[in-house]
Amino acid sequence: MQWITLLAFPFLFTACWLYTVHIQQTRFPRLQNKKICLLIAHPDDEAMFFAPTVLALTQPELGNHVKILCLSSGDADGLGETRKKEVVKSGILLGLRREEDVFVIEDPAFPDSMTTPWDASKISTLLTSTFAPNILKSSSQTAPTASIDVLITFDRHGISSHPNHTSLRLGALEFLKSIMQRHSGWQCPVTLYTLTSTNVLRKYMSILDAPLTMLHCVSRKTRARQDRDPSQLFFVSGIEAYRTAQKAMTSAHKSQMRWFRWGWIGASRYMVVNDLKTEKVV
């Protein structure tokens, strides 16, 4: 009898996971017809951390146009040129429309480093020149505009506290502040979402974290006004999408597939579950 109970656990966990996928796809708000930029620090961030988000937002029926902006080539080990090609291949596997939708920046201001944070003002300047180049020339009496509707990046903890990750949120916030600097009273044209960091236990719960995250999202209020984007987003990959995310690492990012990466793609909840929330511009 005990053996039967033990054997039933995998089926129960899988059933809970797939039920959570169904609830997420039918009950939670989605973004549609949006121009979206995923801002990452290194090639492979899009697959290791944001795969559920990218796979969900690139579904053709939603009409979104998703692009990836990567602020370094990940050249710490001298593999920058290889990794630039890998992130393009990964982006296509995750659903991006074309290779040109992946941009990799190589700038000494953004070194691939485990110890060096990036200057938020330089990140902001880059984002402004890319997505709102005319904002300083526009009249303060008119609504501010940008070439994207949504910006997605890491939260204040950066999942792993990597200084390059945490710098992106600070730079993104400064970018939004620069847009609104002369346009107080207007609604910001860009909604910033950040990926929620969890504790170590939940980080490695894989599919088991899907129901927990769903309950946490339900407990928070979600804005549902027509003129605004949802205050939070919740994505859970099903079996096929999960395999696609794993393939984005094992097939596209071959240069990064060391032994510990296998542990990550097998156990990390970020390969299956993403929950994001909006950041307020103060």
Side-chain angles (χ1 to χ4, degrees):
M1 192 66 176
Q2 290 180 341
W3 283 106
I4 296 176
T5 303
L6 291 174
L7 291 173
F9 275 123
F11 295 99
L12 178 61
F13 293 151
T14 302
C16 289
W17 166 35
L18 297 180
Y19 178 71
T20 305
V21 173
H22 171 73
I23 294 298
Q24 179 265 309
Q25 293 177 348
T26 57
R27 305 278 182 88
F28 281 81
R30 299 186 294 177
L31 298 178
Q32 299 186 59
N33 302 313
K34 299 290 185 180
K35 290 173 286 187
I36 302 169
C37 174
L38 173 63
L39 178 64
I40 58 176
H42 317 102
D44 76 13
D45 287 349
E46 81 295 336
M48 287 182 62
F49 305 109
F50 293 95
T53 295
V54 179
L55 286 164
L57 294 178
T58 54
Q59 294 178 29
E61 65 270 19
L62 296 180
N64 296 316
H65 190 175
V66 180
K67 297 185 178 184
I68 294 174
L69 177 58
C70 182
L71 295 198
S72 81
S73 63
D75 197 37
D77 297 324
L79 298 172
E81 290 303 314
T82 296
R83 299 193 68 185
K84 285 194 289 185
K85 296 175 183 177
E86 290 177 342
V87 69
V88 171
K89 183 177 180 180
S90 172
I92 295 301
L93 283 171
L94 294 174
L96 269 64
R97 296 181 183 181
R98 54 183 184 269
E99 294 183 355
E100 291 75 18
D101 287 334
V102 181
F103 303 87
V104 180
I105 303 296
E106 289 189 285
D107 189 319
F110 308 125
D112 176 14
S113 171
M114 291 289 294
T115 57
T116 305
W118 294 341
D119 189 327
S121 63
K122 292 181 179 179
I123 297 173
S124 173
T125 299
L126 173 64
L127 295 175
T128 301
S129 63
T130 304
F131 301 122
N134 300 315
I135 194 65
L136 295 179
K137 300 177 183 178
S138 63
S139 171
S140 60
Q141 303 303 312
T142 60
T145 60
S147 61
I148 56 172
D149 304 307
V150 174
L151 183 62
I152 297 173
T153 194
F154 293 97
D155 69 359
R156 68 175 66 246
H157 301 293
I159 310 303
S160 60
S161 298
H162 194 301
N164 296 167
H165 294 179
T166 57
S167 298
L168 295 181
R169 172 183 170 273
L170 296 176
L173 285 172
E174 193 161 321
F175 163 57
L176 298 190
K177 290 177 184 177
S178 70
I179 291 179
M180 300 305 297
Q181 186 174 11
R182 298 173 56 250
H183 297 82
S184 59
W186 295 96
Q187 181 178 318
C188 185
V190 180
T191 301
L192 173 62
Y193 288 99
T194 56
L195 179 63
T196 302
S197 296
T198 65
N199 58 46
V200 174
L201 176 61
R202 287 186 58 195
K203 186 186 294 187
Y204 294 103
M205 285 179 64
S206 187
I207 64 173
L208 300 182
D209 193 58
L212 294 177
T213 303
M214 181 181 69
L215 292 175
H216 182 64
C217 289
V218 168
S219 69
R220 297 189 302 213
K221 293 182 179 179
T222 302
R223 186 175 61 231
R225 290 173 52 186
Q226 284 188 332
D227 61 336
R228 294 180 181 271
D229 293 321
S231 59
Q232 64 177 345
L233 296 172
F234 172 52
F235 303 115
V236 185
S237 295
I239 295 174
E240 183 177 352
Y242 184 24
R243 288 175 176 171
T244 300
Q246 292 176 322
K247 186 178 179 181
M249 277 301 299
T250 60
S251 177
H253 290 288
K254 289 183 178 180
S255 72
Q256 301 304 297
M257 287 310 298
R258 304 179 182 120
W259 66 268
F260 55 88
R261 303 287 189 196
W262 291 100
W264 179 269
I265 66 174
S268 172
R269 53 96 70 183
Y270 290 99
M271 297 295 294
V272 189
V273 184
N274 280 173
D275 60 305
L276 307 98
K277 58 184 178 181
T278 54
E279 294 274 353
K280 294 182 179 180
V281 183
V282 180

